[in-house]
Every structure is written in C-alpha cells, then in structure tokens.
Amino acid sequence: TCAFAGQKKVLAAYEEAVKCGYSGARAGRLHTPHGVFDTPMFMPVGTQATVKAVSPRELKEMGAQIILSNTYHLYLRPGTELVAEAGGLHRFMDWDGGILTDSGGFQVFSLGPLRKITEEGAAFRSHIDGSTQFLSPEIAIKAQMNLGADIIMAFDECIPYPAEYQYAKLSTERTTRWAERSQKAHTRSGQALFAIVQGGMYQDLRRVSANDLVSLDFPGYGIGGLSVGEPKPVMYEMLEQTVPLLPENKPRYLMGVGTPDCLVEAVRYGIDMFDCVFPTRVARNGTAMTKSGRLVVKNAAYAKDFLPIDENCGCYACQNFSRAYIRHLLKADEIFGLRLTTIHNLYFLLDFTKKMRQAILEDRFLSFREEFLAQYCK
Ligand SMILES: CNc1nc2cc(C(=O)NN)ccc2[nH]1
Ligand SMILES: [Zn+2]
C-alpha cells in the first residue's frame, strides 16, 4: 500500500521484476487485494461476468489468476449498480481470484459507425436494444468502482486502424485528458487504476502518449489500440517504442493479445499481462491451440483419432478424452464439446505463460523463444 494524493490505496504494487539478460523480458509478482499473482500472465476473458462455458472452479483448477470482464457489457446488462447491490463482481460470479475490468473504450470503438465521440465522452447505440447510451471517464470509473474489480482501466478511445495522423494525434491527446479525468473520478481505495497508452501506429504519438501518462503517475499501464488489424511487425514496432518509456517497477498490460507467437514477442519487449478472446472464441468453433499451431479437431481427419488433443497437455480434456470423442460432441452440437475445447485452450495459454516465467527465472528465455517459434510457426 502507499499514501496517494491523500487517499490510502492498495495499489497493484509491482515487485521483484526479475530482469532476464535480454532487453525487457522479466518475471514479476503483482499484488492485489485478492492475492499476489505471477507474471507474465494470461487473463481469461469473462465479458459478461462468466468465462464462457467454464466454471470458476475449473478456472481455478487450470491456474487462472486474474480474469477480465467488460464494463461496457455489464453497464448495459444487468447494470453495474445491480452488481454492486449483489456485493460486487467477485461475489456475483463467485470468483475469489483477481478481476480486471476494461473501461469500455474498445467496445465503443468496435461498435463502429454508431458512435459519436466528443470531449465529454462517447455516445453510442446499445448492441442489445439499440437505445442511445453515453460513456465518459466519470461514468466508466463509477461503473468500475461499482463492479469492484482489483484493477480498473481509464476511459480511453481505441483508435481504429488505419487512422490519419491528425486524427490519431487529437484522439491520443484527448485520451490523456480522459486519463486525468479518470484519475480524479477514482476514489475507491483498494483498487488500482491503470492508464492506457494509445497513439495509433505512429511512433511519435506512442512516445508522447506514454510520457504524458507516466507523468500522471499510475500504478500500471495498459497498451491499447493494438491488434486492431495492423501487421504484426507494426505492432512489435509500437511495443519497441512504448514499453521502454514505462516504469520498470510497474506492470505493463498489452490489451487484446493474443496468439502464443505474439505473447512470446511481447514478453521479450517487457510486457507482463495479456488478455484475449481468441482461445475461448476459436474453441467454440472446434479449434484447439497446440505448440505446433492450430488443430481443427472438428475435421473428419480426427474421426477415428483416439489420441488426446495433445498427449503432453495436463488439462482435463487431454487427460481424459480423445480427439474422436471431442469431434463427435462438436458434430452433435453437444455443449460438453465446447467446454472441453475451451478448457484445453485456456489451459494451453495459462501454461504457456507459466513456462515463459520459468524460462525467464532460469535465464533461458531467449532459447525458449527460439525453440517455440521454430515449432509454432512451422
Ligand atoms: C483484439 N484486439 C484488441 N485490441 C484492443 C484494444 C483495446 C483498447 O485499446 N482498450 N482501450 C482493448 C481490447 C483490445 N482487443
Ligand atoms: Zn489439453
């Protein structure tokens, strides 16, 4: 904990960032009111207060530490006041690990042309009932205080890709003003507010955004506006420009990323935290993630394949069921099939970040990265 602007706040303090020999890769420990967690870490996405198709008990069993929920969705349904009356998000969804809520900046952007953004905030149409809605830094922070997550995000604008330089510049400057308004509106102790670096795909805007937000002094920093359709080398270049400007002793969270190859590169640049819908989303159309790439277990090729998805995987699906069985369930539209592919994909990414942490602690991250990329991109 530390005294902060007169408020006593338990911040997501960042300890023992063990630096490995190469550039920014590091293993750390993240302190929150719901526990101390190891980084690098992958955070399963539970948009509407549930990680689709799996229970909190299964999440705990597979090693999930912090899960993500979306303020935009919960604000529209069931309402964040209702969740507060239920005792907060942890109680509501029976999850006693860490929770991080995104502020809605991305959802408003991904809603496309329905939105209108002004200095005050963002007006948009609800994807549920088409009603006109409005989010501002103050509204988004109040909603997140009601939800009671351990880590909450400043309200920002996730700049679309591609975007004109002038638009990206004005939007990024506004996001910094919104970060300051988010800070002023954040009065709940025991909750860490992270800022979000934007700047589009422009190196200079990324640097200005990072420097301005660091001057405002946040306990952690999200890097937003990436993985929005840009080529991977552009994303890596933005990381190279941004991460070194962020304080070494604070967590860096790359939002919305990603596949294992992106994770291992981002860790190399010094990213600590990730979230992505990819593992749960592709699971629902029968795709399993493996260290050699994707395996579409629904394919006819696996009809008589009585091996598990991955015989070296420790997850519940691979320990007990065959590809043939899972394919049968998926073809028969059995819900248990989706549960098994989801359990496997989440376990795969959680285990992958655990393996990266171990490699960093044993100072062999670089060779781990080489070996993985050689096999994965095959
Ligand atoms: C899947 N790609 C992806 N990019 C994201 C960017 C943001 C962001 O800038 N939030 N303020 C959040 C989630 C994202 N997911
Ligand atoms: Zn598995």
Side-chain angles (χ1 to χ4, degrees), residues 4 15-16 18 21 23 27 34 81 114 118 139 148 158 162 169 188 262-263 270 279 290 318 320 346 349 364:
F4 177 68
E15 265 184 21
E16 314 152 39
V18 177
S23 106
H34 280 86
E81 310 278 354
L114 308 179
T118 62
I139 295 169
C158 174
K169 182 171 185 296
R188 177 165 173 161
C262 294
L263 262 61
T290 75
C318 295
N320 299 289
L346 286 174
L349 272 184
R364 57 178 174 76

Side-chain angles (χ1 to χ4, degrees), residues 5-83:
Q7 302 278 342
K8 192 167 178 54
K9 292 191 176 184
V10 176
L11 302 180
Y14 202 88
E15 265 184 21
E16 314 152 39
V18 177
K19 242 172 124 63
C20 119
Y22 178 80
S23 106
R26 78 261 191 90
R29 302 264 291 157
L30 191 54
H31 290 248
T32 78
H34 280 86
V36 183
F37 303 113
D38 292 339
T39 65
M41 77 162 62
F42 171 72
M43 302 182 285
V45 175
T47 294
Q48 303 188 103
T50 165
V51 176
K52 291 180 173 30
V54 294
S55 70
R57 185 186 304 164
E58 289 166 331
L59 283 170
K60 194 67 76 175
E61 191 183 296
M62 62 174 79
Q65 302 181 87
I66 299 181
I67 62 170
L68 185 134
S69 267
N70 287 106
T71 304
Y72 164 83
H73 293 81
L74 296 173
Y75 175 78
L76 294 178
R77 182 178 57 188
T80 48
E81 310 278 354
L82 183 150
V83 176

Side-chain angles (χ1 to χ4, degrees), residues 290-293 312 369-378:
T290 75
K291 58 188 177 310
S292 310
N312 300 317
R369 172 180 166 275
E370 292 293 314
E371 281 156 38
F372 176 78
L373 288 176
Q375 167 138 20
Y376 184 75
C377 300
K378 183 177 70 189

Side-chain angles (χ1 to χ4, degrees), residues 102 105-106 156 158 196 198 224-228 255-256:
D102 186 0
F106 178 69
D156 67 331
C158 174
I196 301 178
Q198 290 290 347
L226 293 177
S227 180
V228 287
M255 306 179 82

Side-chain angles (χ1 to χ4, degrees), residues 238-259:
M238 292 304 114
L239 290 180
E240 200 156 25
Q241 292 298 320
T242 310
V243 177
L245 300 177
L246 301 175
E248 275 197 349
N249 66 334
K250 296 195 175 168
R252 296 98 171 241
Y253 159 34
L254 179 53
M255 306 179 82
V257 173
T259 49

Side-chain angles (χ1 to χ4, degrees), residues 313 315 318 344:
C313 177
C315 88
C318 295
H344 169 78

